[in-house]
Amino acid sequence: MTSVARRPGPAAPVRSQVPGVKPQAVRSKAKPGFVLGVIAVGAVIVLALWWQDTTSVHGLGEWLTGAGRILGLLCGYGVVVLVALMARLPPVERGVGTDRLARWHAMGGRYVVSIVVAHGLLIVWGYAVTARTNVVNESGALLTQYPDVLMATVAGFLLLGVGIVSMRAARRRMRYETWYYLHFYTYLAIALAFSHQFADGASFINSLAARFWWSAMYLTVALLVLWYRVAVPWRDYVRHGFRVAGIRDEAPGVVSVYIRGNRLEELAAEPGQFFRWRFLDRSLWWSSHPYSLSAAPGRDMLRITVKDLGDHSRALRALRPGTRVWAEGPFGAFTANSYAPSRGAVLLAGGVGITPLRAMFASLPGRVTLIYRARSWRDIVFREELDAIARARGGRVHYVVGSRAELGTDPLTAPVLLSLVPGLHKQEAYVCGPAGMTESAVSALLAAGVPRRRIHYESFEF
Ligand SMILES: Cc1cc2nc3c(=O)[nH]c(=O)nc-3n(C[C@H](O)[C@H](O)[C@H](O)COP(=O)(O)OP(=O)(O)OC[C@H]3O[C@@H](n4cnc5c(N)ncnc54)[C@H](O)[C@@H]3O)c2cc1C
C-alpha cells in the first residue's frame, strides 16, 4: 500500500497502514442478515412469552384486547430495537453500515408509531366491548382508573410527535439539530411507557419469565447506549487528546481540517470510514457532524475535507489550531474488507464524495481506477494529490467534468464505464456521491456486469 500525498504545515506523514495495529478486517462484524435474524428471534420470544401467558380468549372483546396486547408488546420491543440500532455498537456499525442502520431505524420508527396507535385503539375498543360501554367512556375509565395508563398515553403522543417531525416534509423544514434533539423525547417516552408495561400488561403481572426477559432487554440496551455513546467517546477524548492542527483550502468552499491526537493507531480507523466531529469552540461545541477521513489515518494525525453546505461545514474554515475536538468513531462499513487485490477496484466519486475514496485510492492494493465526476474543474478537489497517488501506485484517475447538458449525455453509463475500466465486471466497485449520481452509477455498474454484492456505496445523508 502506498500513500504519497503531501500534507501541509504541522501534519506528520500519513501512513496507510500502521504497524502493530490489528487490521479491521479481522475485527468482529455483524452482517446485516445476522442482525435482522437476531431482531426476528427477539420478536418471536416476545410473542412466545405472550402465548405462554394467555390460556384462553373468549368473545370479540377479548380478541380485540388480545390483538391490542400483542401490538403493545411488539411496540415495546420495537422501541428497544430502534434504540439499539442507534447505540453505535462497533460490530454492527462495521458490518451493517451507519447509513443502512439509519434507514432501518427510520423504517422501523414508522412501523412502531403505527403500531402504538393501533395498540391504543384496539385496547380501548376491546375493553369497551367487554364492559358493554362506548369507547369514549372506556377511554376516560382507562385514563383515570388504570395505573400508568395516563403516562403511557403521554408516551404514545410523544412517539407520534417524533414520528411526525421525522416525516420528510416536516424534517426538510427544520434544522438538522432541532430534529435531532427533538428525537431525545423518545427516551422520555420509553421511560414513561416502561412502568405501564409492568403495571398494566397482563403478560407481566403473572409471569416472572416475562418480567425478567423484558427487564434484561431494557437494561442491556440502556447500558450499551451509555457505554458506546457516552463512556467510549469520553475515554477516547481523554486518551487521544484530539486537537485541530491546521486548516488548508482545497478548492472554492472546500477545506481540509487536520486533527492531531495521540496513539491514533488504537482507533484502528480504516480508509473509507468516518467520525462524528464536535469542535469544542464557542459556536460549534453543541453539534456533532459526520465527516469521512480524506486520508488514510496516521499515528498522530487525521484529516477530513469538508464542503461548505451549511452552518457547520462553513464554520470549519475559521477553526483555530489548538481547538479541542470530541471525535466519535470510527464508523461505517464503507471499507475494503471484502476486497481481494487480485480482482482490482474501481472507485466512483461524485463531488465531495471524493473524500473517503481519496483515502481508499491511496491505500487499496492491486489495480485501482478512480473515476471522479464533478460539475466543473473548479470543483475538483485534491487534483495534485490524486495524480501523484496514481503515478506512485500505477493507478489511473479519470476526471469526468461538466454538467449533463454540457456533455450532451449521461457520462456514467455502462458503455462509458466499460471503456474507462477494462475488465470492470470482475472488479470491486466503491461509489460515493450525491444520491442521484450514486443511483445512476450503481445502475450503470450492474448493467456493466458487476455483481451487486461487489458494489459498495455510502450515502452522505442519514
Ligand atoms: C457518513 C457521512 C460522511 C460524510 N462525509 C463528509 C465529508 O467527508 N465531507 C463533507 O463535506 N461532507 C460529508 N458529509 C456530509 C456532512 O455531514 C454534511 O454536509 C454536514 O453535516 C452539513 O451540516 P451543515 O450544518 O453544514 O449544513 P446543514 O444545512 O445544517 O445540513 C445540510 C444537510 O446535511 C445533513 N446533516 C446536517 N447535520 C448533520 C448531522 N449532524 N449529522 C448527519 N447529517 C447532518 C442533513 O441531511 C442536512 O439536511 C458526510 C455525511 C455522512 C452522513
Side-chain angles (χ1 to χ4, degrees):
M1 292 198 233
T2 318
S3 171
V4 296
R6 291 188 65 78
R7 312 162 84 243
V14 170
R15 293 181 185 88
S16 53
Q17 195 176 37
V18 182
V21 177
K22 196 174 165 192
Q24 200 92 330
V26 296
R27 295 188 148 213
S28 54
K29 281 189 298 164
K31 291 275 182 204
F34 174 77
V35 175
L36 290 177
V38 170
I39 294 172
V41 169
V44 170
I45 294 176
V46 166
L47 293 178
L49 286 170
W50 172 83
W51 182 261
Q52 203 186 21
D53 297 324
T54 309
T55 42
S56 60
V57 183
H58 301 292
L60 177 66
E62 284 193 18
W63 277 103
L64 291 170
T65 313
R69 280 191 188 129
I70 292 176
L71 292 184
L73 292 171
L74 288 177
C75 182
Y77 177 65
V79 168
V80 174
V81 171
L82 291 182
V83 175
L85 290 177
M86 295 289 110
R88 301 190 184 155
L89 265 76
V92 178
E93 291 279 341
R94 273 195 297 269
V96 179
T98 314
D99 51 351
R100 192 182 315 193
L101 285 171
R103 285 198 297 277
W104 287 359
H105 176 85
M107 188 186 66
R110 286 192 283 276
Y111 287 131
V112 165
V113 171
S114 312
I115 290 176
V116 89
V117 172
H119 160 68
L121 293 176
L122 282 170
I123 289 283
V124 171
W125 187 13
Y127 273 49
V129 169
T130 306
R132 296 177 199 282
T133 178
N134 63 48
V135 288
V136 177
N137 286 344
E138 190 56 36
S139 304
L142 282 172
L143 284 174
T144 50
Q145 291 165 19
Y146 283 75
D148 304 295
V149 166
L150 184 60
M151 283 206 303
T153 308
V154 174
F157 277 107
L158 282 175
L159 283 181
L160 188 61
V162 171
I164 289 170
V165 297
S166 299
M167 283 163 70
R168 207 167 292 216
R171 196 177 150 179
R172 239 188 275 130
R173 286 186 171 75
M174 68 180 76
R175 287 176 66 107
Y176 180 88
E177 282 76 18
T178 312
W179 169 81
Y180 180 78
Y181 288 115
L182 279 174
H183 238 73
F184 284 118
Y185 280 104
T186 311
Y187 293 111
L188 178 60
I190 295 171
L192 288 173
F194 184 71
S195 62
H196 145 74
Q197 274 183 254
F198 278 65
D200 310 315
S203 311
F204 296 91
I205 292 168
N206 301 319
S207 168
L208 192 63
R211 293 173 90 88
F212 176 77
W213 160 257
W214 281 83
S215 304
M217 202 164 56
Y218 274 80
L219 191 66
T220 306
V221 171
L223 289 176
L224 287 175
V225 169
L226 284 175
W227 179 252
Y228 286 111
R229 294 193 66 150
V230 182
V232 169
W234 178 255
R235 182 199 65 191
D236 287 348
Y237 175 72
V238 173
R239 181 181 287 175
H240 301 296
F242 304 106
R243 281 179 190 265
V244 173
I247 307 287
R248 171 181 163 165
D249 278 310
E250 300 286 1
V254 181
V255 292
S256 283
V257 182
Y258 289 81
I259 295 126
R260 193 184 290 285
N262 311 313
R263 297 154 60 187
L264 296 183
E265 69 278 10
E266 290 171 12
L267 291 167
E270 282 187 280
Q273 289 193 300
F274 73 95
F275 284 68
R276 290 183 162 88
W277 304 94
R278 190 182 292 274
F279 295 95
L280 301 181
D281 78 359
R282 225 182 259 181
S283 57
L284 297 178
W285 65 268
W286 56 278
S287 69
S288 124
H289 288 243
Y291 298 112
S292 308
L293 298 177
S294 62
R299 273 186 188 282
D300 62 354
M301 193 70 73
L302 300 172
R303 183 181 79 174
I304 56 173
T305 302
V306 177
K307 186 171 174 59
D308 61 357
L309 293 174
D311 296 353
H312 189 270
S313 44
R314 195 165 303 130
L316 298 193
R317 175 178 298 279
L319 279 172
R320 286 164 182 266
T323 303
R324 287 182 182 277
V325 185
W326 177 278
E328 278 183 69
F331 297 117
F334 191 64
T335 60
N337 281 337
S338 58
Y339 170 65
S342 57
R343 273 203 290 268
V346 57
L347 315 179
L348 272 146
V352 77
I354 186 65
T355 50
L357 295 179
R358 149 65 184 84
M360 291 168 93
F361 189 45
S363 56
L364 281 188
R367 188 160 51 100
V368 181
T369 308
L370 171 67
I371 300 174
Y372 185 177
R373 176 88 182 90
R375 279 219 196 108
S376 71
W377 285 101
R378 274 164 50 91
D379 293 327
I380 295 279
V381 189
F382 305 135
R383 177 130 194 229
E384 273 176 34
E385 284 187 20
L386 295 172
D387 292 342
I389 292 167
R391 276 195 303 278
R393 62 165 304 142
R396 302 195 64 177
V397 189
H398 297 286
Y399 299 98
V400 181
V401 179
S403 66
R404 276 190 191 200
E406 283 162 359
L407 296 171
T409 171
D410 179 353
L412 295 183
T413 58
V416 175
L417 294 182
L418 284 166
S419 71
L420 295 177
V421 190
L424 172 63
H425 62 287
K426 293 189 206 129
Q427 302 198 2
E428 205 82 19
Y430 297 89
V431 184
C432 189
M437 175 259 166
T438 303
E439 224 170 274
S440 60
V442 170
S443 310
L445 287 164
L446 288 169
V450 183
R452 190 173 281 279
R453 67 176 184 285
R454 295 224 192 105
I455 303 176
H456 313 271
Y457 52 92
E458 172 154 86
S459 163
F460 274 7
E461 268 178 46
F462 290 153

